[in-house]
């Protein structure tokens, strides 16, 4: 039943964001990859399609100032403007030049046809143009469906909270996704792996959310989220840089070889540290 409702939701979403006169939907295109970004609603990024297969239901951002009240999607700040200097780049600015402003940039790099490989890099810059510090909480929510037939995926978030791995529970039924919070960027304060739509509901219920730090979920219709907690001083900024890649799931022999290499490297580094 959950799968049926989600499929109906996808159909409704497509109808909702069909091109209109003043559309806020932008399309990224590169090689074998396309994706849509709705800057006018919490739909956010959706429909990331690689070699003809759509893998992304929704990925977007929420924020909260202080520790009371609920979260708000960044589009609720209002769109200052959005530009596409090339077909694979989108720059979107939300908020106010005199108050809170959130800039989101996307860079898509598609692969060759049939490779089932593509990449999207994102940078989020949060500006405090006000005269007082902000107790700021920022959230990224992600709902990828790699196994389109049964919505049976598994997701693991690394304990550093910088790396996510999502793949189909059944080998060969879809690609794998990895997302990395890049070194030098701010690491998340909390994370959550869960099932649709538990985390999304918590971001939209009008109460303050702290992600539960459960780092695995599945098999099933999994979702995952990051949370950053920080204080942004007057006139200051907070920058998050991330990269997400979709690629075919390695065959078991490749995974075993990779695991063996990692064990050897770990032994080498332990020996060097002695």
């Amino acid at each position: 039943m959950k799968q049926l409702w989600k499929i109906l939701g996808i159909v409704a979403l497509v109808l909702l964001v069909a091109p209109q006169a003043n559309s806020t939907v932008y399309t990224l295109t590169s090689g074998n990859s396309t994706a849509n970004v709705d800057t006018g609603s919490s739909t956010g990024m959706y429909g990331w399609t690689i070699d003809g297969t759509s893998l992304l239901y929704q990925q977007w951002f929420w924020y909260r100032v202080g520790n009371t009240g609920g979260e708000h999607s960044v589009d609720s700040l209002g769109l200052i403007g959005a530009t596409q200097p090339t077909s694979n780049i989108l720059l979107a600015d939300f908020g106010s030049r005199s108050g809170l402003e959130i800039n989101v940039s996307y860079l898509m790099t598609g692969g060759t046809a049939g490779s089932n490989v593509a990449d999207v890099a994102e940078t989020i810059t949060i500006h405090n143009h006000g005269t007082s510090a902000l107790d700021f909480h920022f959230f990224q929510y992600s709902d990828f469906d790699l196994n389109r037939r049964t919505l049976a995926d598994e997701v693991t978030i690394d304990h550093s909270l910088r790396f996510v791995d999502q793949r189909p529970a059944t080998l060969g039924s879809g690609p794998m996704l990895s997302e990395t919070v890049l070194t030098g960027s701010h690491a998340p304060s909390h994370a959550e792996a869960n099932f649709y739509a538990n985390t999304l509901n918590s971001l939209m219920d009008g109460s303050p959310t702290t992600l539960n730090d459960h780092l695995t979920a599945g098999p099933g219709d999994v979702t995952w989220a990051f949370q950053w907690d920080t204080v942004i001083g007057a006139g200051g900024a907070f920058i998050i840089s991330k990269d997400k890649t979709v690629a075919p799931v390695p065959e078991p022999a490749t995974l075993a070889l990779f695991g063996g290499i990692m064990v050897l490297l770990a032994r080498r580094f332990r020996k060097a540290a002695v």
Side-chain angles (χ1 to χ4, degrees):
M1 180 61 72
K2 181 188 290 186
Q3 183 179 356
L4 175 60
W5 279 112
K6 193 162 187 181
I7 292 171
L8 292 174
I10 293 172
V11 173
L13 190 62
V14 171
L15 294 175
L16 177 66
V17 298
Q20 302 173 10
N22 304 321
S23 175
T24 58
V25 179
Y26 297 83
T27 300
L28 295 163
T29 303
S30 176
N32 64 342
S33 176
T34 63
N36 302 307
V37 180
D38 185 353
T39 60
S41 79
S42 60
T43 299
M45 185 177 180
Y46 68 98
W48 188 10
T49 299
I50 302 172
D51 284 312
T53 301
S54 179
L55 303 172
L56 175 60
Y57 180 69
Q58 180 184 19
Q59 184 176 68
W60 200 228
F61 309 106
W62 276 256
Y63 75 95
R64 186 182 75 245
V65 177
N67 290 312
T68 60
E71 290 75 40
H72 307 278
S73 58
V74 296
D75 56 276
S76 67
L77 288 168
L79 182 67
I80 297 172
T83 58
Q84 275 195 278
T86 60
S87 63
N88 66 325
I89 294 175
L90 173 64
L91 311 173
D93 301 331
F94 302 89
S96 167
R97 300 293 188 190
S98 61
L100 175 63
E101 181 183 343
I102 299 178
N103 311 133
V104 182
S105 67
Y106 296 92
L107 170 62
M108 172 180 284
T109 305
T112 58
S115 66
N116 295 304
V117 173
D119 180 275
V120 174
E122 299 170 352
T123 299
I124 301 102
T125 305
I126 303 155
H127 299 274
N128 176 11
H129 296 302
T131 58
S132 301
L134 292 178
D135 176 16
F136 198 77
H137 308 271
F138 188 78
F139 301 80
Q140 173 187 289
Y141 169 77
S142 302
D143 182 357
F144 287 84
D145 298 320
L146 306 181
N147 184 342
R148 300 291 297 176
R149 292 193 296 272
T150 63
L151 300 182
D153 289 348
E154 297 176 330
V155 63
T156 301
I157 303 171
D158 184 77
H159 286 281
S160 69
L161 306 188
R162 283 186 177 272
F163 181 79
V164 178
D165 176 281
Q166 181 177 336
R167 62 186 65 201
T170 303
L171 188 65
S173 58
M176 63 180 288
L177 164 82
S178 63
E179 176 156 316
T180 304
V181 178
L182 300 178
T183 302
S185 180
H186 297 279
S189 308
H190 300 281
E192 179 171 319
N194 211 321
F195 295 92
Y196 178 81
N198 295 330
T199 304
L200 181 61
N201 288 340
S202 73
L203 292 170
M204 300 177 69
D205 64 4
S207 299
T209 296
T210 298
L211 300 182
N212 62 23
D213 292 322
H214 293 169
L215 302 183
T216 62
D221 188 2
V222 298
T223 67
W224 49 272
F226 284 140
Q227 174 180 345
W228 288 263
D229 300 323
T230 188
V231 174
I232 307 176
F238 185 80
I239 301 175
I240 301 166
S241 296
K242 308 180 293 86
D243 187 84
K244 54 179 177 274
T245 301
V246 171
V249 176
E251 294 297 325
T254 304
L255 289 172
L257 176 61
F258 177 75
I261 292 172
M262 294 305 293
V263 169
L264 290 173
L265 287 174
R267 290 175 179 171
R268 180 175 178 179
F269 284 127
R270 281 199 299 267
K271 183 179 291 186
V274 174

